[in-house]
Amino acid sequence: MKYVLSFAFALMLGASTLFGQTNLKFAHVNVELILSYMPEYKTMGQQLQAQRKKYAEQLAIKENYGQQKLAEYLELAEVNPNSPDLKAKEDELRRLEAEIQKNASESERKLQVNQQKLLAPILEKMDKAIKAEAAASGYDYVFSDLDGNGTSVVLYAPEERNLTKKVMKRLGIEVPTN
């Protein structure tokens, strides 16, 4: 991934030289840092945590019910291993297990969908602030310091080209002093 980004950057620099535009200005931001200080992002995290807790509680109820049914099955199997009811209880246990797995998967899917829904306007707000700050500061390109996996993309850049704190101020976020 780094090689692709490096190649793309080199290609842009080469193209700018080829066409005589050597005065391009580049800057960078730490998107993850900005997000971590945005109140909307913190609120989103709290909302998702509450939703996750609700789903976990619902799942725990089903799992407890399944444990009760398993205990009933084991008790019946111990007392009367030839009981015709054992087959029905086994089928019920399989159905419950499948239902629990389905509910867990569905809960995770709903959480992901909700996260995307809540994150979209936050990212849009941040994107507008980055573009506004880049235009106000006269930058042609702004790169993210990190890729989506937390790997550094910008290996070196002068600190005066770091727009992170300016974007945070534009968003009304108190800039950390460190």
Side-chain angles (χ1 to χ4, degrees):
M1 182 68 178
K2 285 184 184 179
Y3 297 111
V4 172
L5 290 171
S6 296
F7 177 74
F9 185 71
L11 187 61
M12 284 190 329
L13 286 177
S16 68
T17 303
L18 181 65
F19 295 110
Q21 296 180 347
T22 56
N23 58 350
L24 294 175
K25 287 183 69 180
F26 298 89
H28 61 99
V29 296
N30 185 330
V31 172
E32 290 180 9
L33 181 65
I34 294 169
L35 273 175
S36 71
Y37 280 92
M38 289 180 75
E40 302 93 330
Y41 190 74
K42 292 176 183 177
T43 301
M44 179 193 79
Q46 292 166 349
Q47 289 173 338
L48 291 173
Q49 187 61 32
Q51 187 179 14
R52 186 173 286 113
K53 182 180 177 187
K54 181 182 103 177
Y55 290 148
E57 288 169 356
Q58 291 171 349
L59 197 58
I61 290 169
K62 281 201 180 281
E63 288 174 341
N64 287 338
Y65 180 73
Q67 289 298 322
Q68 289 172 354
K69 291 298 180 181
L70 177 61
E72 290 173 14
Y73 169 80
L74 293 173
E75 184 180 330
L76 180 61
E78 187 176 318
V79 173
N80 187 0
N82 298 322
S83 172
D85 293 337
L86 280 178
K87 172 72 171 121
K89 292 205 178 282
E90 285 175 12
D91 291 343
E92 182 180 16
L93 285 171
R94 283 190 198 94
R95 183 187 55 76
L96 280 171
E97 179 63 29
E99 193 175 306
I100 289 169
Q101 288 177 357
K102 180 182 174 190
N103 287 354
S105 295
E106 186 65 21
S107 295
E108 190 59 38
R109 186 194 66 75
K110 286 179 181 178
L111 279 168
Q112 289 173 351
V113 166
N114 196 29
Q115 180 179 15
Q116 290 171 353
K117 183 180 109 182
L118 294 170
L119 190 57
I122 297 169
L123 292 176
E124 184 178 327
K125 180 179 179 180
M126 183 177 57
D127 183 59
K128 286 180 182 178
I130 290 170
K131 287 177 180 174
E133 188 57 45
S137 299
Y139 288 102
D140 298 299
Y141 296 94
V142 177
F143 293 92
S144 176
D145 285 349
L146 306 171
D147 67 8
N149 297 320
T151 304
S152 180
V153 176
V154 177
L155 301 178
Y156 170 77
E159 188 55 36
E160 63 269 9
R161 300 237 175 150
N162 186 345
L163 295 181
T164 303
K165 290 181 180 179
K166 289 181 179 181
V167 171
M168 291 173 79
K169 283 181 185 176
R170 187 173 287 273
L171 288 167
I173 299 170
E174 187 174 321
V175 178
T177 56
N178 54 1

